């Protein structure tokens, strides 16, 4: 993003470049499950991690010749202590959330969440005091930046968490192979790419807040469709997910532009890192929170037959993946009974999670209006009504 901002100072060119960047990224996300499914069909599960190797080799070979150099000549050194603090904040927090959902209230999961929050506060305080912070917290003083980043975090959480559950639904409930699930995911990914192309043109004339609000409402409608999921109902799943992906399509290109254009040019790298970090962190938190919610609902809904051995019953009760492991040890009729109740319970958990996501998207529409409504369309030379950047720390 920092490179794009420096290479294309003209707003219209920057808008087109971000559209190409977003489309390329979404195309990669669409191809990833297909390539991964093909590898899983032919090789061992670890083969999917090798996808990045040829891509990185290509980058190392072509990058120096194709990518213009752009750096801050006065940049500070990497603060390794801040890196350690960020890990100490995120890992215990997510672990605690997952354990609370899996095992219910317990002392150690609560302690883990509290420890994560405490380290998170220490991390923020340290960033505020550093001349060259790992994460430039001062950019949050710009309303357009803070509003866009919060929206990016929450949209990524809902989208990432729901997509994770729905791909599980396709394989474990609808009984699709990894390759078939990846091919089906091309349909909503295509809807996402179409949405990005439409947004690139609309953003020159319509305020970004209104585009993002409309998108979140459309995504909420898609989630309502997903509340009607049934075992074997792949058509409903793909329709609902396509509507959701079309609805969230404005978030990537518009939020990136809002953050970059509202930030001072000398902090382009920091702004780009905030935008990327917010999206990736949102996906991780969404998988943790929505996955934990779905796990808790699944465990409350699943009913394991009484004649199932205790160890297999425990596996089936913990998760639908555990139910598949347990069923492999059981005779045919009993195995089918375990899988049936597990699939019904997981389908119910995904439907309830979709309801929560629908409400979340409506809330995001209200948040978008409250934080971003003053920003003008992005087709002009200005980036909207953003106040001057905060003063540099001494």
């Amino acid at each position: 993003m920092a490179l794009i901002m420096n290479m294309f100072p003209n707003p219209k060119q920057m808008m087109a470049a971000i559209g190409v960047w977003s489309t390329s990224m979404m195309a990669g996300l669409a191809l990833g499950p297909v390539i991964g499914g093909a590898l899983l069909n032919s090789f061992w599960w670890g083969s999917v991690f090798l996808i990045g190797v040829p891509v990185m080799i290509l980058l190392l070979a072509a990058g120096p010749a194709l990518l213009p150099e752009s750096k801050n000549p006065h940049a500070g050194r990497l603060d390794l202590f801040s890196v350690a603090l960020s890990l100490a904040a995120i890992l215990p927090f997510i672990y605690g959330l997952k354990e609370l959902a899996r095992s219910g209230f317990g002392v150690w999961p609560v302690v883990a969440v509290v420890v994560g929050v405490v380290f998170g506060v220490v991390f923020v305080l340290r960033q505020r005091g550093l001349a060259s912070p790992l994460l430039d917290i001062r950019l949050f003083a710009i309303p357009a930046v803070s509003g866009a980043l919060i929206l990016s975090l929450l949209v990524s959480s809902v989208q990432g968490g729901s997509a994770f559950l729905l791909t599980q639904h396709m394989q474990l409930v609808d009984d699709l192979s990894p390759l078939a699930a990846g091919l089906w995911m091309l349909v909503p990914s295509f809807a996402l790419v179409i949405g990005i192309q439409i947004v690139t043109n609309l953003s020159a004339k319509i305020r970004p807040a209104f585009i993002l609000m409309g998108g979140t409402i459309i995504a909420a409608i898609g989630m309502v469709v997903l509340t009607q999921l049934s075992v074997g109902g792949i058509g409903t799943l793909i329709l609902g997910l396509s509507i959701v992906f079309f609805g969230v399509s404005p978030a990537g290109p518009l939020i990136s532009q809002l953050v970059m254009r509202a930030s001072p040019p000398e902090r382009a790298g920091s702004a780009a890192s905030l935008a990327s970090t917010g999206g990736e962190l949102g996906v991780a938190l969404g998988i943790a929170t929505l996955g934990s919610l779905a796990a808790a609902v699944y465990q409350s809904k699943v009913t394991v037959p009484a004649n199932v051995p205790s160890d297999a019953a425990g596996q089936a009760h913990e998760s639908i993946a555990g139910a598949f492991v347990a069923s492999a040890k059981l005779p045919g009729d009993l195995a089918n009974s375990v899988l049936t109740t597990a699939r019904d319970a997981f389908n119910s958990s995904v439907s309830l999670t979709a309801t929560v996501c629908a409400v979340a998207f409506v809330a995001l529409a209200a948040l978008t209006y409250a934080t971003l409504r003053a920003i003008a369309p992005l087709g002009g030379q200005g980036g909207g009504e953003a106040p001057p950047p905060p003063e540099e720390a001494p």
Side-chain angles (χ1 to χ4, degrees):
M1 286 301 303
L3 284 174
I4 288 175
M5 186 175 182
N6 287 325
M7 291 169 64
F8 302 100
N10 181 280
K12 291 184 178 180
Q13 291 180 337
M14 184 192 298
M15 196 159 43
I18 291 177
V20 173
W21 168 75
S22 300
T23 302
S24 300
M25 186 171 62
M26 292 306 106
L29 289 173
L31 291 175
V34 179
I35 298 172
L39 289 173
L40 289 175
N41 272 7
S42 305
F43 304 101
W44 90 112
W45 66 270
S47 63
V48 294
F49 297 108
L50 300 177
I51 296 175
V53 175
V55 178
M56 290 299 103
I57 292 175
L58 177 63
L59 173 62
L60 292 174
L66 297 177
L67 300 177
E69 183 62 57
S70 176
K71 64 181 179 180
N72 180 359
H74 307 293
R77 299 181 63 181
L78 175 65
D79 183 33
L80 294 178
F81 185 56
S82 293
V83 176
L85 284 176
S86 68
L87 293 174
I90 294 171
L91 296 180
F93 183 79
I94 291 180
Y95 169 79
L97 283 181
K98 292 177 70 66
E99 286 299 302
L100 286 171
R102 187 176 70 89
S103 306
F105 181 82
V107 174
W108 290 115
V110 172
V111 169
V113 171
V114 173
V115 167
V117 171
V118 170
F119 275 114
V121 173
V122 175
F123 173 82
V124 170
L125 293 176
R126 181 169 179 81
Q127 304 316 296
R128 290 172 63 88
L130 292 175
S132 299
L134 179 69
L135 205 63
D136 197 346
I137 304 296
R138 293 166 295 179
L139 288 171
F140 281 95
I142 304 174
V145 173
S146 58
L149 289 176
I150 292 171
L151 185 63
S152 174
L153 177 74
L154 297 177
V155 168
S156 299
S157 297
V158 178
Q159 181 188 9
S162 59
F164 170 72
L165 291 174
L166 290 169
T167 51
Q168 282 192 311
H169 193 286
M170 282 192 280
Q171 294 183 62
L172 300 177
V173 177
D174 299 323
D175 202 25
L176 297 179
S177 68
L179 178 58
L183 290 171
W184 274 112
M185 283 297 293
L186 288 175
V187 179
S189 298
F190 186 62
L192 189 66
V193 171
I194 291 176
I196 291 173
Q197 303 309 311
I198 295 174
V199 166
T200 301
N201 294 323
L202 289 180
S203 60
K205 302 176 182 179
I206 301 176
R207 288 177 181 265
F210 297 148
I211 297 175
L212 290 167
M213 285 173 58
T216 51
I217 294 298
I218 291 172
I221 294 172
M223 285 297 175
V224 172
V225 173
L226 291 172
T227 62
Q228 305 304 307
L229 274 179
S230 59
V231 176
I234 187 65
T236 302
L237 190 154
I238 295 301
L239 173 62
L241 192 58
S242 297
I243 297 173
V244 171
F245 274 30
F246 183 80
V248 300
S249 61
L254 285 187
I255 289 174
S256 297
Q257 277 200 85
L258 290 173
V259 171
M260 299 302 292
R261 291 169 62 135
S263 302
E266 66 274 12
R267 296 199 213 166
S270 295
S273 69
L274 279 176
S276 298
T277 301
E280 298 298 335
L281 180 60
V283 171
L285 290 176
I287 291 174
T289 53
L290 294 181
S292 297
L293 172 63
V297 175
Y298 169 86
Q299 291 169 4
S300 69
K301 296 283 188 180
V302 67
T303 304
V304 182
N307 55 341
V308 173
S310 58
D311 59 335
Q315 288 178 312
H317 186 266
E318 183 173 344
S319 68
I320 187 171
F324 273 81
V325 174
S327 65
K329 309 172 186 176
L330 301 174
D333 291 343
L334 196 55
N336 289 335
S337 179
V338 168
L339 290 179
T340 297
T341 185
R343 283 171 168 151
D344 288 338
F346 189 77
N347 185 78
S348 297
S349 69
V350 173
S351 296
L352 180 60
T353 305
T355 303
V356 173
C357 291
V359 175
F361 274 126
V362 173
L364 285 175
L367 176 66
T368 300
Y369 180 77
T371 58
L372 302 177
R373 67 181 184 276
I375 299 176
L378 301 180
Q381 294 296 317
E385 300 177 15
E391 295 182 0
E392 295 285 341

